[in-house]
Amino acid sequence: MKCVLSCIPEPTVVMAARALCVLGLVLALVSSSSAEYVGLSANQCAVPAKDRVDCGYPQVTPEQCNNRGCCFDSSIVGVPWCFKPLQEQGECSF
């Protein structure tokens, strides 16, 4: 009697491979965060897409953008990803 190895992986191997694939996808999405506001408040960077004023240049990185004092958000296609922040409103006292 001849023994033949099966080419069909065991269910646990298939599940482990799927879990690793999903984990890799999640980590890739999280690590490529689309919005970065180093030194700025999220409120300052809540600029509507139509009102964004370009503050960068083609292929500017989030770090380079933030070093210029600007906001970086690559989640919307077709608008500047590196843009000027809103000015925080100071308190007025009379």
Side-chain angles (χ1 to χ4, degrees):
M1 188 165 159
K2 193 173 187 179
C3 190
V4 179
L5 294 176
S6 173
C7 291
I8 301 172
E10 292 185 35
T12 54
V13 173
V14 172
M15 290 302 292
R18 286 183 182 163
L20 284 174
C21 185
V22 169
L23 179 62
L25 180 62
V26 169
L27 289 175
L29 289 173
V30 170
S31 69
S32 66
S33 79
S34 60
E36 294 191 27
Y37 319 124
V38 177
L40 297 166
S41 72
N43 288 339
Q44 284 181 279
C45 293
V47 179
K50 66 179 179 56
D51 296 334
R52 290 184 180 181
V53 176
D54 201 352
C55 187
Y57 46 88
Q59 285 83 40
V60 66
T61 67
E63 183 180 12
Q64 292 165 332
C65 180
N66 293 147
N67 288 341
R68 297 169 70 100
C70 299
C71 303
F72 187 89
D73 180 359
S74 61
S75 67
I76 304 172
V77 178
V79 298
W81 289 357
C82 181
F83 53 95
K84 294 186 180 187
L86 297 171
Q87 297 301 314
E88 285 202 359
Q89 300 296 321
E91 290 186 26
C92 294
S93 58
F94 294 97

